[in-house]
Amino acid sequence: MDRVAVYPGSFDPMTNGHTDIIERSKVLFAEVHVGILRNPQKEPLFTAEERLEMIREIYTDDPAVQVQTFDGLLVDFAEEVGAHAIIRGLRAPTDFEYELQMALMNRRLRDHIETLFMVPHEEFTFVSSSLIKEVLEFGGSIEGLVPPEVESRLEAKMRGR
Ligand code: PNS
């Protein structure tokens, strides 16, 4: 059986914490499908197309990582790409409450799809997409916290504001 996983999220934008989880997932799975949620509740900084383009650029030379957007239920997206696992990163115990709820709901929806929690390198445990946007908005440096493909687009976005 080919081991296939989905790694879902808003990725607005993708951080080095996310890419660290993807690298670790590749040890366990033959294919990792990054699923970018198209319609998050909150207004995103980057459109779904922009997020798709920059994440595809990061993994352009990596056939093990596929990148798509999705709408609707995560378990439907997982089924579409033939995944039997959902990967979620846990940075701190506070992440766990919401993640546990989602994992149990997803299991209720599709009992055969397992959720796997993975822990990023400790140097990224404080990194989140929302903090990245906030620091940049107020003129702070985000160097080393996001991939270069994201950093250049974030700077362009901020200049255009
Ligand atoms: O990076 P995020 O914003 O924490 O990711 C949340 C995400 C995309 C994993 C979650 O909102 C999701 O799966 N949304 C799709 C809709 C869905 O399936 N909802 C029920 C999940 S219990």
Side-chain angles (χ1 to χ4, degrees), residues 2-3 18 21 24 26 31 41 43 45-46 59 70-71 73 75 90 99 106 113 117-118 122 124 130 134 154 156 161:
D2 255 1
R3 291 166 305 149
H18 294 129
I21 293 286
R24 291 172 198 282
K26 280 163 52 186
E31 273 175 43
Q41 310 290 45
E43 178 86 355
L45 177 64
F46 291 101
Y59 294 102
F70 76 100
D71 261 327
L73 285 180
V75 288
L90 285 184
E99 294 298 332
N106 284 328
I113 300 178
F117 296 126
M118 297 188 70
E122 58 271 24
F124 302 123
S130 44
E134 190 172 314
L154 269 172
R161 280 191 145 194

Side-chain angles (χ1 to χ4, degrees), residues 60-115:
T60 188
D61 295 324
D62 192 341
V65 181
Q66 302 292 315
V67 190
Q68 279 132 284
T69 59
F70 76 100
D71 261 327
L73 285 180
L74 170 59
V75 288
D76 288 337
F77 171 67
E79 255 177 8
E80 255 169 55
V81 301
H84 59 96
I86 295 167
I87 295 162
R88 292 289 289 169
L90 285 184
R91 291 164 301 192
T94 43
D95 285 340
F96 186 65
E97 204 172 327
Y98 169 62
E99 294 298 332
L100 178 65
Q101 262 189 324
M102 279 208 299
L104 292 174
M105 181 59 85
N106 284 328
R107 178 189 282 170
R108 191 187 164 90
L109 294 167
R110 294 292 187 287
D111 193 40
H112 61 281
I113 300 178
E114 293 296 337
T115 296

